[in-house]
PDB file of all heavy atoms in Angstrom:
ATOM      1  N   PHE K  50       0.536 -55.509  18.056  1.00 60.00           N
ATOM      2  CA  PHE K  50       1.416 -54.380  17.785  1.00 60.00           C
ATOM      3  C   PHE K  50       1.071 -53.711  16.459  1.00 60.00           C
ATOM      4  O   PHE K  50       1.021 -52.481  16.356  1.00 60.00           O
ATOM      5  CB  PHE K  50       2.877 -54.845  17.769  1.00 60.00           C
ATOM      6  CG  PHE K  50       3.845 -53.768  17.379  1.00 60.00           C
ATOM      7  CD1 PHE K  50       4.180 -52.761  18.274  1.00 60.00           C
ATOM      8  CD2 PHE K  50       4.397 -53.759  16.103  1.00 60.00           C
ATOM      9  CE1 PHE K  50       5.068 -51.756  17.898  1.00 60.00           C
ATOM     10  CE2 PHE K  50       5.286 -52.767  15.732  1.00 60.00           C
ATOM     11  CZ  PHE K  50       5.623 -51.761  16.635  1.00 60.00           C
ATOM     12  N   MET K  51       0.803 -54.515  15.434  1.00 62.00           N
ATOM     13  CA  MET K  51       0.476 -53.969  14.121  1.00 62.00           C
ATOM     14  C   MET K  51      -0.882 -53.268  14.153  1.00 62.00           C
ATOM     15  O   MET K  51      -1.102 -52.254  13.482  1.00 62.00           O
ATOM     16  CB  MET K  51       0.479 -55.083  13.066  1.00 62.00           C
ATOM     17  CG  MET K  51       1.846 -55.724  12.870  1.00 62.00           C
ATOM     18  SD  MET K  51       3.139 -54.516  12.475  1.00 62.00           S
ATOM     19  CE  MET K  51       2.571 -53.948  10.881  1.00 62.00           C
ATOM     20  N   LYS K  52      -1.821 -53.823  14.950  1.00 63.00           N
ATOM     21  CA  LYS K  52      -3.120 -53.163  15.098  1.00 63.00           C
ATOM     22  C   LYS K  52      -2.958 -51.781  15.720  1.00 63.00           C
ATOM     23  O   LYS K  52      -3.582 -50.812  15.299  1.00 63.00           O
ATOM     24  CB  LYS K  52      -4.056 -54.016  15.951  1.00 63.00           C
ATOM     25  CG  LYS K  52      -4.606 -55.247  15.257  1.00 63.00           C
ATOM     26  CD  LYS K  52      -5.564 -56.002  16.170  1.00 63.00           C
ATOM     27  CE  LYS K  52      -6.138 -57.237  15.472  1.00 63.00           C
ATOM     28  NZ  LYS K  52      -7.060 -57.969  16.357  1.00 63.00           N
ATOM     29  N   ALA K  53      -2.118 -51.700  16.732  1.00 67.00           N
ATOM     30  CA  ALA K  53      -1.884 -50.418  17.403  1.00 67.00           C
ATOM     31  C   ALA K  53      -1.261 -49.410  16.448  1.00 67.00           C
ATOM     32  O   ALA K  53      -1.633 -48.226  16.429  1.00 67.00           O
ATOM     33  CB  ALA K  53      -0.990 -50.619  18.630  1.00 67.00           C
ATOM     34  N   CYS K  54      -0.310 -49.865  15.627  1.00 66.00           N
ATOM     35  CA  CYS K  54       0.319 -48.971  14.653  1.00 66.00           C
ATOM     36  C   CYS K  54      -0.700 -48.456  13.644  1.00 66.00           C
ATOM     37  O   CYS K  54      -0.700 -47.275  13.267  1.00 66.00           O
ATOM     38  CB  CYS K  54       1.465 -49.685  13.930  1.00 66.00           C
ATOM     39  SG  CYS K  54       2.904 -49.994  14.978  1.00 66.00           S
ATOM     40  N   ALA K  55      -1.576 -49.345  13.179  1.00 63.00           N
ATOM     41  CA  ALA K  55      -2.588 -48.945  12.212  1.00 63.00           C
ATOM     42  C   ALA K  55      -3.544 -47.917  12.813  1.00 63.00           C
ATOM     43  O   ALA K  55      -3.900 -46.922  12.174  1.00 63.00           O
ATOM     44  CB  ALA K  55      -3.367 -50.168  11.728  1.00 63.00           C
ATOM     45  N   CYS K  56      -3.964 -48.131  14.064  1.00 67.00           N
ATOM     46  CA  CYS K  56      -4.855 -47.185  14.742  1.00 67.00           C
ATOM     47  C   CYS K  56      -4.188 -45.826  14.895  1.00 67.00           C
ATOM     48  O   CYS K  56      -4.797 -44.780  14.665  1.00 67.00           O
ATOM     49  CB  CYS K  56      -5.282 -47.719  16.102  1.00 67.00           C
ATOM     50  SG  CYS K  56      -6.400 -49.135  16.003  1.00 67.00           S
ATOM     51  N   PHE K  57      -2.909 -45.838  15.274  1.00 67.00           N
ATOM     52  CA  PHE K  57      -2.172 -44.596  15.437  1.00 67.00           C
ATOM     53  C   PHE K  57      -2.081 -43.834  14.116  1.00 67.00           C
ATOM     54  O   PHE K  57      -2.234 -42.609  14.076  1.00 67.00           O
ATOM     55  CB  PHE K  57      -0.771 -44.890  15.973  1.00 67.00           C
ATOM     56  CG  PHE K  57       0.090 -43.672  16.137  1.00 67.00           C
ATOM     57  CD1 PHE K  57      -0.088 -42.823  17.218  1.00 67.00           C
ATOM     58  CD2 PHE K  57       1.054 -43.363  15.193  1.00 67.00           C
ATOM     59  CE1 PHE K  57       0.699 -41.688  17.362  1.00 67.00           C
ATOM     60  CE2 PHE K  57       1.837 -42.234  15.325  1.00 67.00           C
ATOM     61  CZ  PHE K  57       1.665 -41.391  16.423  1.00 67.00           C
ATOM     62  N   LEU K  58      -1.842 -44.551  13.025  1.00 71.00           N
ATOM     63  CA  LEU K  58      -1.744 -43.916  11.716  1.00 71.00           C
ATOM     64  C   LEU K  58      -3.069 -43.265  11.309  1.00 71.00           C
ATOM     65  O   LEU K  58      -3.099 -42.138  10.814  1.00 71.00           O
ATOM     66  CB  LEU K  58      -1.328 -44.952  10.664  1.00 71.00           C
ATOM     67  CG  LEU K  58      -1.183 -44.450   9.226  1.00 71.00           C
ATOM     68  CD1 LEU K  58      -0.120 -43.364   9.155  1.00 71.00           C
ATOM     69  CD2 LEU K  58      -0.847 -45.600   8.292  1.00 71.00           C
ATOM     70  N   VAL K  59      -4.177 -43.974  11.546  1.00 65.00           N
ATOM     71  CA  VAL K  59      -5.493 -43.427  11.212  1.00 65.00           C
ATOM     72  C   VAL K  59      -5.774 -42.170  12.016  1.00 65.00           C
ATOM     73  O   VAL K  59      -6.254 -41.152  11.495  1.00 65.00           O
ATOM     74  CB  VAL K  59      -6.595 -44.488  11.447  1.00 65.00           C
ATOM     75  CG1 VAL K  59      -7.976 -43.859  11.332  1.00 65.00           C
ATOM     76  CG2 VAL K  59      -6.448 -45.631  10.456  1.00 65.00           C
ATOM     77  N   ILE K  60      -5.470 -42.209  13.326  1.00 73.00           N
ATOM     78  CA  ILE K  60      -5.705 -41.043  14.190  1.00 73.00           C
ATOM     79  C   ILE K  60      -4.857 -39.856  13.729  1.00 73.00           C
ATOM     80  O   ILE K  60      -5.322 -38.715  13.692  1.00 73.00           O
ATOM     81  CB  ILE K  60      -5.385 -41.402  15.661  1.00 73.00           C
ATOM     82  CG1 ILE K  60      -6.423 -42.401  16.189  1.00 73.00           C
ATOM     83  CG2 ILE K  60      -5.382 -40.145  16.531  1.00 73.00           C
ATOM     84  CD1 ILE K  60      -6.092 -42.965  17.560  1.00 73.00           C
ATOM     85  N   ALA K  61      -3.600 -40.112  13.356  1.00 67.00           N
ATOM     86  CA  ALA K  61      -2.718 -39.040  12.906  1.00 67.00           C
ATOM     87  C   ALA K  61      -3.256 -38.376  11.643  1.00 67.00           C
ATOM     88  O   ALA K  61      -3.223 -37.153  11.490  1.00 67.00           O
ATOM     89  CB  ALA K  61      -1.307 -39.586  12.666  1.00 67.00           C
ATOM     90  N   ILE K  62      -3.769 -39.196  10.715  1.00 71.00           N
ATOM     91  CA  ILE K  62      -4.321 -38.646   9.468  1.00 71.00           C
ATOM     92  C   ILE K  62      -5.539 -37.790   9.757  1.00 71.00           C
ATOM     93  O   ILE K  62      -5.696 -36.677   9.239  1.00 71.00           O
ATOM     94  CB  ILE K  62      -4.663 -39.782   8.487  1.00 71.00           C
ATOM     95  CG1 ILE K  62      -3.376 -40.467   8.000  1.00 71.00           C
ATOM     96  CG2 ILE K  62      -5.463 -39.258   7.306  1.00 71.00           C
ATOM     97  CD1 ILE K  62      -3.615 -41.702   7.174  1.00 71.00           C
ATOM     98  N   VAL K  63      -6.448 -38.291  10.624  1.00 59.00           N
ATOM     99  CA  VAL K  63      -7.667 -37.543  10.952  1.00 59.00           C
ATOM    100  C   VAL K  63      -7.325 -36.225  11.631  1.00 59.00           C
ATOM    101  O   VAL K  63      -7.886 -35.171  11.302  1.00 59.00           O
ATOM    102  CB  VAL K  63      -8.591 -38.397  11.855  1.00 59.00           C
ATOM    103  CG1 VAL K  63      -9.740 -37.554  12.388  1.00 59.00           C
ATOM    104  CG2 VAL K  63      -9.118 -39.593  11.083  1.00 59.00           C
ATOM    105  N   LEU K  64      -6.389 -36.259  12.586  1.00 64.00           N
ATOM    106  CA  LEU K  64      -6.000 -35.030  13.266  1.00 64.00           C
ATOM    107  C   LEU K  64      -5.343 -34.048  12.314  1.00 64.00           C
ATOM    108  O   LEU K  64      -5.566 -32.837  12.399  1.00 64.00           O
ATOM    109  CB  LEU K  64      -5.045 -35.354  14.421  1.00 64.00           C
ATOM    110  CG  LEU K  64      -5.675 -36.009  15.656  1.00 64.00           C
ATOM    111  CD1 LEU K  64      -4.601 -36.343  16.674  1.00 64.00           C
ATOM    112  CD2 LEU K  64      -6.719 -35.090  16.273  1.00 64.00           C
ATOM    113  N   GLY K  65      -4.530 -34.545  11.394  1.00 61.00           N
ATOM    114  CA  GLY K  65      -3.886 -33.666  10.422  1.00 61.00           C
ATOM    115  C   GLY K  65      -4.889 -32.952   9.548  1.00 61.00           C
ATOM    116  O   GLY K  65      -4.789 -31.746   9.292  1.00 61.00           O
ATOM    117  N   ILE K  66      -5.916 -33.686   9.088  1.00 58.00           N
ATOM    118  CA  ILE K  66      -6.953 -33.061   8.264  1.00 58.00           C
ATOM    119  C   ILE K  66      -7.723 -32.039   9.075  1.00 58.00           C
ATOM    120  O   ILE K  66      -8.015 -30.934   8.616  1.00 58.00           O
ATOM    121  CB  ILE K  66      -7.899 -34.135   7.698  1.00 58.00           C
ATOM    122  CG1 ILE K  66      -7.147 -35.044   6.716  1.00 58.00           C
ATOM    123  CG2 ILE K  66      -9.107 -33.500   7.022  1.00 58.00           C
ATOM    124  CD1 ILE K  66      -7.943 -36.238   6.237  1.00 58.00           C
ATOM    125  N   GLY K  67      -8.043 -32.393  10.332  1.00 51.00           N
ATOM    126  CA  GLY K  67      -8.796 -31.469  11.181  1.00 51.00           C
ATOM    127  C   GLY K  67      -8.037 -30.188  11.457  1.00 51.00           C
ATOM    128  O   GLY K  67      -8.586 -29.094  11.390  1.00 51.00           O
ATOM    129  N   LEU K  68      -6.741 -30.309  11.747  1.00 50.00           N
ATOM    130  CA  LEU K  68      -5.937 -29.123  12.024  1.00 50.00           C
ATOM    131  C   LEU K  68      -5.779 -28.240  10.800  1.00 50.00           C
ATOM    132  O   LEU K  68      -5.748 -27.016  10.903  1.00 50.00           O
ATOM    133  CB  LEU K  68      -4.557 -29.540  12.545  1.00 50.00           C
ATOM    134  CG  LEU K  68      -4.535 -30.136  13.954  1.00 50.00           C
ATOM    135  CD1 LEU K  68      -3.133 -30.637  14.302  1.00 50.00           C
ATOM    136  CD2 LEU K  68      -4.998 -29.112  14.985  1.00 50.00           C
ATOM    137  N   SER K  69      -5.698 -28.856   9.625  1.00 48.00           N
ATOM    138  CA  SER K  69      -5.584 -28.047   8.410  1.00 48.00           C
ATOM    139  C   SER K  69      -6.840 -27.236   8.192  1.00 48.00           C
ATOM    140  O   SER K  69      -6.795 -26.095   7.747  1.00 48.00           O
ATOM    141  CB  SER K  69      -5.308 -28.941   7.196  1.00 48.00           C
ATOM    142  OG  SER K  69      -6.430 -29.751   6.911  1.00 48.00           O
ATOM    143  N   HIS K  70      -8.021 -27.815   8.526  1.00 43.00           N
ATOM    144  CA  HIS K  70      -9.271 -27.058   8.400  1.00 43.00           C
ATOM    145  C   HIS K  70      -9.326 -25.934   9.418  1.00 43.00           C
ATOM    146  O   HIS K  70      -9.814 -24.840   9.115  1.00 43.00           O
ATOM    147  CB  HIS K  70     -10.467 -27.994   8.592  1.00 43.00           C
ATOM    148  CG  HIS K  70     -10.753 -28.838   7.387  1.00 43.00           C
ATOM    149  ND1 HIS K  70     -11.099 -28.301   6.170  1.00 43.00           N
ATOM    150  CD2 HIS K  70     -10.742 -30.188   7.204  1.00 43.00           C
ATOM    151  CE1 HIS K  70     -11.298 -29.270   5.294  1.00 43.00           C
ATOM    152  NE2 HIS K  70     -11.079 -30.427   5.910  1.00 43.00           N
ATOM    153  N   ILE K  71      -8.824 -26.180  10.629  1.00 40.00           N
ATOM    154  CA  ILE K  71      -8.839 -25.140  11.640  1.00 40.00           C
ATOM    155  C   ILE K  71      -7.934 -23.994  11.231  1.00 40.00           C
ATOM    156  O   ILE K  71      -8.277 -22.817  11.354  1.00 40.00           O
ATOM    157  CB  ILE K  71      -8.400 -25.714  13.007  1.00 40.00           C
ATOM    158  CG1 ILE K  71      -9.466 -26.688  13.523  1.00 40.00           C
ATOM    159  CG2 ILE K  71      -8.167 -24.603  14.021  1.00 40.00           C
ATOM    160  CD1 ILE K  71      -9.058 -27.425  14.785  1.00 40.00           C
ATOM    161  N   ASP K  72      -6.737 -24.331  10.723  1.00 44.00           N
ATOM    162  CA  ASP K  72      -5.808 -23.294  10.307  1.00 44.00           C
ATOM    163  C   ASP K  72      -6.392 -22.442   9.205  1.00 44.00           C
ATOM    164  O   ASP K  72      -6.278 -21.223   9.194  1.00 44.00           O
ATOM    165  CB  ASP K  72      -4.482 -23.927   9.836  1.00 44.00           C
ATOM    166  CG  ASP K  72      -3.719 -24.535  11.008  1.00 44.00           C
ATOM    167  OD1 ASP K  72      -4.023 -24.152  12.154  1.00 44.00           O
ATOM    168  OD2 ASP K  72      -2.848 -25.391  10.772  1.00 44.00           O
ATOM    169  N   SER K  73      -7.026 -23.096   8.228  1.00 41.00           N
ATOM    170  CA  SER K  73      -7.613 -22.330   7.127  1.00 41.00           C
ATOM    171  C   SER K  73      -8.792 -21.519   7.601  1.00 41.00           C
ATOM    172  O   SER K  73      -9.097 -20.467   7.068  1.00 41.00           O
ATOM    173  CB  SER K  73      -8.046 -23.272   5.998  1.00 41.00           C
ATOM    174  OG  SER K  73      -9.028 -24.172   6.464  1.00 41.00           O
ATOM    175  N   GLY K  74      -9.474 -21.992   8.665  1.00 42.00           N
ATOM    176  CA  GLY K  74     -10.603 -21.243   9.180  1.00 42.00           C
ATOM    177  C   GLY K  74     -10.184 -20.002   9.930  1.00 42.00           C
ATOM    178  O   GLY K  74     -10.938 -19.045  10.038  1.00 42.00           O
ATOM    179  N   ASP K  75      -8.964 -19.985  10.493  1.00 41.00           N
ATOM    180  CA  ASP K  75      -8.502 -18.812  11.210  1.00 41.00           C
ATOM    181  C   ASP K  75      -8.203 -17.658  10.265  1.00 41.00           C
ATOM    182  O   ASP K  75      -8.254 -16.504  10.640  1.00 41.00           O
ATOM    183  CB  ASP K  75      -7.231 -19.142  12.008  1.00 41.00           C
ATOM    184  CG  ASP K  75      -7.553 -20.074  13.180  1.00 41.00           C
ATOM    185  OD1 ASP K  75      -8.728 -20.113  13.583  1.00 41.00           O
ATOM    186  OD2 ASP K  75      -6.629 -20.748  13.672  1.00 41.00           O
ATOM    187  N   GLU K  76      -7.875 -17.969   9.048  1.00 39.00           N
ATOM    188  CA  GLU K  76      -7.576 -16.933   8.089  1.00 39.00           C
ATOM    189  C   GLU K  76      -8.862 -16.468   7.434  1.00 39.00           C
ATOM    190  O   GLU K  76      -9.776 -17.227   7.197  1.00 39.00           O
ATOM    191  CB  GLU K  76      -6.608 -17.454   7.014  1.00 39.00           C
ATOM    192  CG  GLU K  76      -5.284 -17.935   7.596  1.00 39.00           C
ATOM    193  CD  GLU K  76      -4.418 -18.567   6.541  1.00 39.00           C
ATOM    194  OE1 GLU K  76      -4.860 -18.626   5.374  1.00 39.00           O
ATOM    195  OE2 GLU K  76      -3.311 -19.007   6.876  1.00 39.00           O
ATOM    196  N   THR K  77      -8.913 -15.175   7.148  1.00 39.00           N
ATOM    197  CA  THR K  77     -10.100 -14.665   6.493  1.00 39.00           C
ATOM    198  C   THR K  77     -10.228 -15.245   5.105  1.00 39.00           C
ATOM    199  O   THR K  77      -9.249 -15.433   4.399  1.00 39.00           O
ATOM    200  CB  THR K  77     -10.058 -13.128   6.425  1.00 39.00           C
ATOM    201  OG1 THR K  77     -11.234 -12.682   5.741  1.00 39.00           O
ATOM    202  CG2 THR K  77      -8.844 -12.626   5.670  1.00 39.00           C
TER     203      THR K  77
END
Side-chain angles (χ1 to χ4, degrees):
F50 175 75
M51 296 305 294
K52 286 182 179 180
C54 290
C56 290
F57 178 78
L58 180 60
V59 170
I60 291 172
I62 292 173
V63 171
L64 287 177
I66 294 173
L68 289 174
S69 68
H70 283 298
I71 292 173
D72 291 341
S73 61
D75 290 339
E76 300 174 0
T77 179

